Amino acid sequence: MAHVKVSTTDLTVEFSRYEGLWLRRDALTVPLAAVLRAVPVDAPLQAAYGTRKGIEISGFTKIGVWGLVKGPRRLVVAYRNRPGLLLTLDRAVTGQEYDELVLSLDEAREVCRLIEQRQESN
């Protein structure tokens, strides 16, 4: 499962080796200024829909990029029975190809609070 680190200026998502194989990256770092919204979600699997590039094991896991044809483009690492985090990003600020990140994350609520605190202090 992905691991999130929040510094005073950046948010870094580190992916497991398995996730990294499907995403073709070990980590993703975005400036906190690029995070427009951070929301905990109970069912992150449902937040990913549309055309995809990645793996989907129906009802169990989704890893990859969703929304290829019709946006928003989402980087997704989601698992069944795990709470999650939905981050809406400003692509112009990130320089990345993603509008949203959908992550299964047990500490999603705490990460949301931390993002808000860090953004307020900057």
Side-chain angles (χ1 to χ4, degrees):
M1 196 159 59
H3 179 70
V4 175
K5 295 180 182 178
V6 181
S7 74
T8 55
T9 58
D10 297 315
L11 178 136
T12 300
V13 184
E14 296 175 344
F15 303 108
S16 72
R17 179 175 285 183
Y18 176 73
E19 294 162 352
L21 289 172
W22 286 102
L23 297 171
R24 297 189 176 140
R25 63 183 338 142
D26 296 327
L28 173 68
T29 299
V30 296
L32 282 179
V35 178
L36 302 175
R37 187 174 68 132
V39 180
V41 291
D42 293 328
L45 279 176
Q46 295 174 1
Y49 52 88
T51 308
R52 74 176 193 281
K53 178 174 72 173
I55 185 170
E56 177 178 8
I57 302 171
S58 187
F60 289 95
T61 190
K62 292 180 180 180
I63 302 171
V65 180
W66 266 251
L68 295 175
V69 176
K70 223 174 156 180
R73 186 165 288 201
R74 296 175 180 93
L75 180 114
V76 179
V77 176
Y79 299 97
R80 181 177 75 171
N81 296 331
R82 295 280 194 197
L85 179 64
L86 172 62
L87 298 172
T88 304
L89 306 174
D90 182 342
R91 284 173 87 170
V93 176
T94 65
Q96 298 288 332
E97 60 182 285
Y98 313 112
D99 300 301
E100 295 179 345
L101 302 179
V102 178
L103 307 168
S104 280
L105 196 63
D106 290 336
E107 63 276 3
R109 293 189 189 286
E110 292 81 15
V111 170
C112 285
R113 277 190 227 110
L114 188 56
I115 290 169
E116 289 174 15
Q117 289 172 353
R118 297 283 163 85
Q119 285 179 328
E120 288 172 1
S121 66
N122 288 336

